[in-house]
Amino acid sequence: MTSTVPALGTRTAEGSALQAVLLDMDGTLVDTEGFWWDVEKEVFASLGHVLDDSWRHVVVGGPMTRSAGFLIEATGADISFAELSVLLNDGFEERIGRDLPLMPGAARLLAELSEHRIPTALVSASHRRIIDRVLTSLGRHHFALTVAGDEVPRTKPHPDPYLAAAAGLAVDPARCAVVEDTATGVAAAEAAGCHVVAVPSVAPITPAARRTVVRSLEAVDLTFLRSLVTHAG
């Protein structure tokens, strides 16, 4: 877990109990969920295996331990998780080095949160080396804290990453708004007790209590996020 700037306190608008905004990375702020699948297909092709497109929904949004483990078992590839992890991270880092498109609305939302000094954290299942590379494009100054998947005991869908982010910002998880794009990330945020905005990237997500589903990040702004957390708890 890396803090890039000091936590900014709990400045909120009158009538809103919002204390912080916690943001997923892949598929939420940067359009990279497809990149991971492309890299996985390329790596397994080099090992002599073809990935079934139906498996994409199994691995999307999950930690590498789950996605890589599933693909090794599904294909029977003769490779260890440690070896595969290096190949996948190397391939992904090379891929984003060529092109790293932001999701529509991402730059505007980050700028708005920074302008209003809303404590904001980046919470990702990606490893630290990948997050640090992506932050070059997103802007480190937008985040008071960043949490990587290889820095917590259990990553998404467990609540640990979001609980770590809330603790690092010294805020109540129940007064945080989380923006996620996959069911795995939504499960992690809800298990942590946060209010969730789901912006589905690959698989559909249905609305639920404390979960609002929108079609695009362009529908999300600070007023909208504040409206979700109108009282503590």
Side-chain angles (χ1 to χ4, degrees), residues 92-172:
F92 187 78
E93 193 166 355
E94 190 277 331
R95 182 67 180 79
I96 63 176
R98 288 186 273 130
D99 181 35
L100 184 59
L102 271 59
M103 297 297 288
R108 184 265 314 152
L109 177 60
L110 290 174
E112 183 180 15
L113 295 175
S114 292
E115 178 185 355
H116 291 272
R117 296 184 59 78
I118 302 299
T120 303
L122 184 68
V123 184
S124 177
S126 289
H127 289 187
R128 169 55 55 188
R129 59 178 286 195
I130 300 299
I131 288 181
D132 285 344
R133 186 68 177 268
V134 173
L135 281 172
T136 302
S137 295
L138 284 178
R140 294 177 182 273
H141 62 285
H142 289 306
F143 304 99
L145 190 73
T146 61
V147 180
D150 55 344
E151 296 174 338
V152 288
R154 302 177 303 173
T155 189
K156 304 172 187 180
H158 298 287
D160 304 37
Y162 284 111
L163 292 176
L169 295 175
V171 297
D172 181 357

Side-chain angles (χ1 to χ4, degrees), residues 53-103:
D53 281 337
S54 67
W55 296 342
R56 183 177 181 182
H57 294 302
V58 178
V59 301
V60 67
M64 189 171 291
T65 50
R66 187 187 77 186
S67 58
F70 170 82
L71 293 174
I72 290 173
E73 183 176 355
T75 60
D78 184 18
I79 189 171
S80 69
F81 167 76
E83 293 169 327
L84 181 57
S85 176
V86 171
L87 292 177
L88 292 176
N89 277 318
D90 285 349
F92 187 78
E93 193 166 355
E94 190 277 331
R95 182 67 180 79
I96 63 176
R98 288 186 273 130
D99 181 35
L100 184 59
L102 271 59
M103 297 297 288

